[in-house]
Amino acid sequence: MVRLYDLHPFGSQRVVPCKQEPAQFCRGRDVLFVASAAASCGVEVFAVRREGRCEPLGSFATLGPVLRMAHSRAGDYLVTIEEKSKATFLRAYVKWRCVSAGSSRFCVRMVGHKMEESYTETLKEQMSIVEMALSDPPLCISCCPVNGDLLVGCRNKLVMFCLKYLVINQNLTVLDFERSLILHTDNFIPAEVAFCARHIAITTELDVLILKLDLIQHSEDRGEQCAYQVSTTEKLVDGGIKDEDLAAHSLQLELDEFVTCQKPVELLGEESKLCKIPITLESTELSTEGKKRFQVQYLLFRHFTPDQSPFGFCEETKLHSVQFLPVHQTGSSMTAKEETEKRGLLSLFCFFSLPHVGYLYSVGKLVELISTYQYSERSEQAVLTPQFLHVITSFSFLFVRACSVTQCGAVQQQLAMKIHALIQLSRKADNNRSRTISELEPGWNLYIINTVSTIQLYREMVDYSRTYENVRTESCIHLLSKAHLLVRAAIMDPSFFKSDDKEELLRAFRESCAFLGDCYSRFDTKDYHLALPYYRMSGLSVAEVLERLASESDEIQTYERGLIFYLTHSLNEELNEELSKELADKVLRIFYLADPTQLPHIICSPCMKNVCPLTAVKYLCEVEDIMPSVVLMLTKAFMALKMGDLTMYECEMNSHKETMLACGFIGQPKLLRECNEGIVIPTEFAVHLKVMQPGLLVAATVALHENSKIELEEADMFFKMLCNNGEDMVPQLLVDFWEALLVACSQEEVLQELLLRVTYQYVWRISKKQLPETKPLKTTEDLINSCDHFGSIFPWVTFIMSMESPLDKDCPEDISKLQSILCGQSIDTTAALPILEPLAEAGNVGLTVRVLCSTRLGKHEESIDQLLRQCPAAAVLYAQHELKDDSRAVLWNKLLPELCERTRLTRSDCPVLISSLKEILSVVAMELELWDFLSLLPEDGTAPFFLPHLLHCSQRKQLM
């Protein structure tokens, strides 16, 4: 519910004399049309200039008295419902601006009439009247503001005319209409209609129905007539509503028939199909090519009762002023024509009113009631704009109430339609006036009301709000909200950037946000949380907000929830702001009195760097007596460091085990790191832990990462800043963090990233012979025992490394960790190959790395070739460890022939080869059949060398 106040945003009133008695009027973009009620019927046209000035442009005659009239911005045409000889006619006046040029020529043509070229040439300089024949009298009309299509309401049906632009030649385009669609309704007589972007709103005296025409694909098998019946039962089945629900609803309707006073009904979305108003669509387009097909989507049905009035029973309760309010996306550099064609519809709202209350709905994927507006007096007409709701509450004089459209999403932010003035007719001149004056002056006047500037009205509303500041806080907030929305709507107007008072409006916007922030922070209101966004929009810093508060040091000073909510969120965020000692101590005092449990988190805020640590410890000790926690203890330790009291620091840190301390940092990461403009900065606490307890620091950072309190890249930056090793240098403490995280992490993507990172670092240090600057926290053995991603080093790798090499003496720990990773089953070998490239020729280390990679990729024969070339003594160990199952055949198909050949070539010069050959012969003799074993032996071999193995193979067979 929106409360209205007696605020009159009108600066002046202009009187425009009319020649005839005004009966109907409507506004165009820059013109005013006034239809007379005199016997000589006609329409006077006035140009509406800036500041409400009106100048006559001309006039043209009508067929008879005008009952309804509307102007379409798209196409710039005027459409009327006129009466003559008790018959009604629908007419559209095109190129009416010719009357302003003094031309009195016009032509009348029927809609859809094919115009000959000789006839159309005359249309350049004259007004055209397009008559649209209907089988039933027109009752109401509405023009679509998006494309200029026309909707006409008749008894039991709605007729839609599409606006056409007929290009006669390159110098002439003529507007025409085509009757394209008829919506047949049963027992439904529209009083008013609204039409926008295929959305239709229809009102009777007490019913509102909102529909949407959904465009469907063209169907080839349909004839010229497209009848689409939307019966209640069919739509219920199509919409998935169950039979039992329908039966229950039917029963409820039957029961309602016995109720003396019918209850109001509101049906939204799919439920609105239950309104029992079936719609049948009939396509009347003449051309079959490209014919559009539609189906009806029900959006809203609402039924009111005559007794729905805050002032009791009212027989004259009737709906009025149905209106769509579109919000467009408009380019500020577009011309008027381009703007009409190209502007996109962002959102749509529908407004309609009863005599004492107005309703505003959002119309989109969901239909939702946004606001209701209660009037203190009976209304006759209402006009809604994004800034105001203008309501005429009496016809004897002009009385307008205005309020901003609240809680409407985009509608309060963008000015889609700009109504400069609200217009109402005057009564005839007083009968007591002299005949001379009445004969000389027109007897009828048109009054145009000019609103004051946005800034002036804003100032008046702010001043008015102060009268409620200490007595009715909700009224104060309400008025300030209206003032804020008034300014915000002006700022979102496309013309804002060209406005002369742009800077003043921006200042007013920030000021209004600050005022509302003050209200929500100081008053006890259920919407206290709004203090945060309003203060943010005001651009005020935390210090400036605090300085706006009354400076009171009384012990019993109370602070409302809004202020606590704002300070809690602001100080817990990464703000690049340091409060002075006085303000920091004031914040400390506020939370001590209002919410002491938040003290550890508030003290750790970067904004509170200048807080008195002694006072902070005092308050923390008092809170600890009531609610002890690890975070609170760590905060006390932090303050002890700031004071230089190491005894107190050690006492606090020794009160819990290291595991508990690491988890404690999860509750408040700012104890370890701050973030300044995206740069992670270690705290004094982190610097101290790096020297005294690096294991705790690493464990705490791992805990932060695993609880989504720090990202991997942030942790990299944190350790690099902490160790000050330079941008490209990787400190050992960061490697320790990666290794520790490998133990705890279970995310596959992160695991692979970590494995590649530590691999790269091990390779870099091995190739550069660079020892870590600090002792690693974990040895290879520690990692193998605690982490599945580090595997036990294979025997053949250990054998190769046992052979001394000058290249293998440096970085032994990095070498063993690298080999352990490659012996594990986790690392993606293909991704690691480019990283391992620098070790390709690095002695025995390089050999083990190459063979490990080849083996992981299934290239066992390649691995054996490498070993036979560089370390044949390890080949048999490799074969015994790696060649299993499907790869076992490599023993006799690859390794045995290779050893035989190499032994033959070297003869007895290589005892290692002979020893390896004998060992492999013993293994093969145990696994092959005698004939298979014999077929593998070389023909030119020495028989005594192979004979023992042949006998062993033969005896094994006999024993079996």
Side-chain angles (χ1 to χ4, degrees), residues 152-172:
V152 183
C154 304
R155 183 182 180 89
N156 295 333
K157 66 181 174 184
L158 302 172
V159 184
M160 188 171 77
F161 291 87
C162 289
L163 180 64
K164 302 287 186 180
Y165 294 86
L166 304 180
V167 179
I168 306 302
N169 53 51
Q170 63 180 8
N171 298 319
L172 179 62

Side-chain angles (χ1 to χ4, degrees), residues 520 525-534 561-562 565-566 569:
Y520 286 113
T525 171
K526 62 182 178 64
D527 295 323
Y528 64 90
H529 60 278
L530 294 178
L532 180 64
Y534 278 119
R561 293 177 296 171
F565 184 85
Y566 164 75
H569 282 265

Side-chain angles (χ1 to χ4, degrees), residues 342-394:
K342 297 182 181 179
R343 59 181 180 172
L345 187 67
L346 293 181
S347 54
L348 187 64
F349 299 86
C350 185
F351 173 82
F352 51 85
S353 182
L354 287 170
H356 289 95
V357 62
Y359 299 86
L360 183 68
Y361 283 82
S362 65
V363 181
K365 292 182 178 179
L366 295 176
V367 179
E368 182 181 6
L369 178 63
I370 299 296
S371 288
T372 58
Y373 302 87
Q374 196 77 49
Y375 317 137
S376 59
E377 299 182 35
R378 180 180 179 82
S379 66
E380 302 290 346
Q381 185 187 358
V383 177
L384 180 70
T385 71
Q387 283 186 293
F388 292 106
L389 170 63
H390 303 270
V391 184
I392 298 176
T393 56
S394 175

Side-chain angles (χ1 to χ4, degrees), residues 102-156:
S103 173
S104 60
R105 299 175 58 188
F106 67 92
C107 67
V108 182
R109 55 187 170 92
M110 294 297 294
V111 67
H113 176 73
K114 187 175 181 180
M115 293 166 285
E116 297 180 359
E117 186 171 352
S118 59
Y119 171 72
T120 55
E121 285 297 325
T122 62
L123 297 178
K124 290 181 180 179
E125 300 176 358
Q126 67 181 25
M127 181 176 67
S128 294
I129 303 173
V130 182
E131 293 193 345
M132 290 171 267
L134 295 168
S135 59
D136 294 293
L139 302 176
C140 47
I141 50 177
S142 177
C143 301
C144 174
V146 176
N147 55 31
D149 290 349
L150 172 65
L151 186 70
V152 183
C154 304
R155 183 182 180 89
N156 295 333

Side-chain angles (χ1 to χ4, degrees), residues 34-53:
V34 182
S36 66
S40 55
C41 304
V43 175
E44 293 182 72
V45 186
F46 299 88
V48 180
R49 308 300 185 191
R50 294 191 63 180
E51 299 179 354
R53 291 187 297 109

Side-chain angles (χ1 to χ4, degrees), residues 282-547:
E282 177 188 350
S283 176
T284 57
E285 285 182 292
L286 297 177
S287 60
T288 57
E289 184 178 356
K291 180 181 283 189
K292 296 179 181 178
R293 305 294 184 186
F294 295 99
Q295 65 183 13
V296 173
Q297 178 185 357
Y298 286 73
L299 300 178
L300 168 72
F301 174 76
R302 184 151 185 177
H303 172 76
F304 297 92
T305 57
D307 61 334
Q308 191 162 357
S309 169
F311 302 98
F313 185 82
C314 180
E315 292 184 353
E316 297 182 2
T317 298
K318 294 181 182 178
L319 287 161
H320 65 78
S321 304
V322 62
Q323 170 191 344
F324 279 120
L325 181 66
V327 177
H328 296 286
Q329 184 178 19
T330 307
S332 58
S333 62
M334 292 181 181
T335 64
K337 183 178 180 181
E338 290 174 334
E339 184 179 334
T340 301
E341 295 174 350
K342 297 182 181 179
R343 59 181 180 172
L345 187 67
L346 293 181
S347 54
L348 187 64
F349 299 86
C350 185
F351 173 82
F352 51 85
S353 182
L354 287 170
H356 289 95
V357 62
Y359 299 86
L360 183 68
Y361 283 82
S362 65
V363 181
K365 292 182 178 179
L366 295 176
V367 179
E368 182 181 6
L369 178 63
I370 299 296
S371 288
T372 58
Y373 302 87
Q374 196 77 49
Y375 317 137
S376 59
E377 299 182 35
R378 180 180 179 82
S379 66
E380 302 290 346
Q381 185 187 358
V383 177
L384 180 70
T385 71
Q387 283 186 293
F388 292 106
L389 170 63
H390 303 270
V391 184
I392 298 176
T393 56
S394 175
F395 269 98
S396 60
F397 61 97
L398 180 64
F399 183 82
V400 178
R401 301 231 176 199
C403 69
S404 300
V405 179
T406 61
Q407 304 170 355
C408 297
V411 78
Q412 62 197 18
Q413 298 177 14
Q414 299 207 23
L415 196 57
M417 49 183 294
K418 191 167 185 179
I419 297 180
H420 296 280
L422 185 68
I423 311 157
Q424 177 56 28
L425 306 177
S426 74
R427 296 294 182 186
K428 275 192 175 182
D430 196 311
N431 291 332
N432 294 329
R433 300 178 72 183
S434 67
R435 181 175 299 274
T436 305
I437 296 176
S438 63
E439 289 176 351
L440 296 175
E441 295 179 356
W444 296 91
N445 293 327
L446 182 74
Y447 291 87
I448 296 184
I449 304 299
N450 298 321
T451 58
V452 299
S453 69
T454 300
I455 291 296
Q456 181 181 340
L457 181 58
Y458 164 77
R459 296 295 178 200
E460 292 176 3
M461 295 176 78
V462 170
D463 292 341
Y464 192 20
S465 70
R466 294 195 176 105
T467 61
Y468 295 100
E469 194 169 14
N470 297 319
V471 288
R472 293 177 62 186
T473 55
E474 289 298 328
S475 298
C476 178
I477 291 175
H478 180 80
L479 281 165
L480 286 174
S481 297
K482 298 297 168 286
H484 166 75
L485 292 172
L486 181 75
V487 175
R488 186 161 70 176
I491 288 176
M492 298 308 295
D493 188 300
S495 63
F496 165 72
F497 293 100
K498 299 179 181 179
S499 173
D500 295 334
D501 55 355
K502 179 174 67 173
E503 294 301 325
E504 192 173 3
L505 282 170
L506 287 173
R507 283 195 299 272
F509 173 78
R510 290 189 291 266
E511 181 187 69
S512 68
C513 292
F515 286 153
L516 284 167
D518 292 342
C519 288
Y520 286 113
S521 67
R522 295 174 182 177
F523 298 155
D524 183 14
T525 171
K526 62 182 178 64
D527 295 323
Y528 64 90
H529 60 278
L530 294 178
L532 180 64
Y534 278 119
Y535 273 143
R536 292 280 173 80
M537 289 190 291
S538 72
L540 294 173
S541 64
V542 177
E544 289 169 331
V545 170
L546 289 169
E547 289 168 355

Side-chain angles (χ1 to χ4, degrees), residues 1-284:
M1 186 68 67
V2 177
R3 187 182 299 109
L4 304 184
Y5 293 86
D6 291 324
L7 288 170
H8 304 282
F10 306 119
S12 64
Q13 173 179 286
R14 291 187 178 273
V15 181
V16 180
C18 296
K19 295 178 180 179
Q20 304 291 338
E21 176 185 354
Q24 298 287 333
F25 58 86
C26 68
R27 278 289 310 271
R29 183 175 66 247
D30 56 354
V31 292
L32 171 66
F33 300 94
V34 182
S36 66
S40 55
C41 304
V43 175
E44 293 182 72
V45 186
F46 299 88
V48 180
R49 308 300 185 191
R50 294 191 63 180
E51 299 179 354
R53 291 187 297 109
C54 252
E55 300 174 359
L57 282 179
S59 63
F60 51 87
T62 59
L63 189 64
V66 176
L67 305 180
R68 299 283 183 101
M69 63 192 306
H71 175 266
S72 173
R73 183 173 183 178
D76 193 21
Y77 67 88
L78 179 73
V79 62
T80 63
I81 297 177
E82 304 174 18
E83 184 179 33
K84 184 177 182 181
S85 302
K86 296 185 179 180
T88 54
F89 300 86
L90 182 65
R91 303 179 111 201
Y93 294 84
V94 181
K95 294 183 70 71
W96 53 266
R97 291 185 185 267
C98 293
V99 301
S100 64
S103 173
S104 60
R105 299 175 58 188
F106 67 92
C107 67
V108 182
R109 55 187 170 92
M110 294 297 294
V111 67
H113 176 73
K114 187 175 181 180
M115 293 166 285
E116 297 180 359
E117 186 171 352
S118 59
Y119 171 72
T120 55
E121 285 297 325
T122 62
L123 297 178
K124 290 181 180 179
E125 300 176 358
Q126 67 181 25
M127 181 176 67
S128 294
I129 303 173
V130 182
E131 293 193 345
M132 290 171 267
L134 295 168
S135 59
D136 294 293
L139 302 176
C140 47
I141 50 177
S142 177
C143 301
C144 174
V146 176
N147 55 31
D149 290 349
L150 172 65
L151 186 70
V152 183
C154 304
R155 183 182 180 89
N156 295 333
K157 66 181 174 184
L158 302 172
V159 184
M160 188 171 77
F161 291 87
C162 289
L163 180 64
K164 302 287 186 180
Y165 294 86
L166 304 180
V167 179
I168 306 302
N169 53 51
Q170 63 180 8
N171 298 319
L172 179 62
T173 300
V174 177
L175 264 64
D176 199 8
F177 298 86
E178 179 182 1
R179 184 169 59 180
S180 61
L181 190 67
I182 299 176
L183 291 82
H184 294 279
T185 60
D186 291 339
N187 300 319
F188 199 80
I189 304 175
E192 292 185 70
V193 292
F195 189 35
C196 181
R198 298 207 304 269
H199 290 78
I200 298 171
I202 319 164
T203 62
T204 62
E205 289 187 353
L206 294 173
D207 293 328
V208 179
L209 179 62
I210 301 179
L211 309 168
K212 183 183 179 184
L213 296 174
D214 288 326
L215 192 63
I216 59 177
Q217 292 182 351
H218 176 64
S219 179
E220 295 293 338
D221 57 351
R222 292 192 178 185
E224 287 300 311
Q225 296 297 325
C226 172
Y228 184 83
Q229 177 69 32
V230 187
S231 69
T232 305
T233 306
E234 289 173 344
K235 291 303 288 185
L236 287 172
V237 174
D238 292 342
I241 298 178
K242 298 179 180 178
D243 293 339
E244 54 266 30
D245 295 338
L246 177 59
H249 180 75
S250 300
L251 176 61
Q252 183 62 45
L253 291 178
E254 291 175 6
L255 293 174
D256 286 345
E257 292 176 1
F258 295 95
V259 179
T260 304
C261 296
Q262 188 180 0
K263 296 179 180 179
V265 176
E266 181 188 46
L267 302 174
L268 298 173
E270 291 292 318
E271 290 185 353
S272 61
K273 300 171 184 175
L274 300 171
C275 66
K276 287 192 172 181
I277 304 176
I279 308 291
T280 303
L281 300 187
E282 177 188 350
S283 176
T284 57

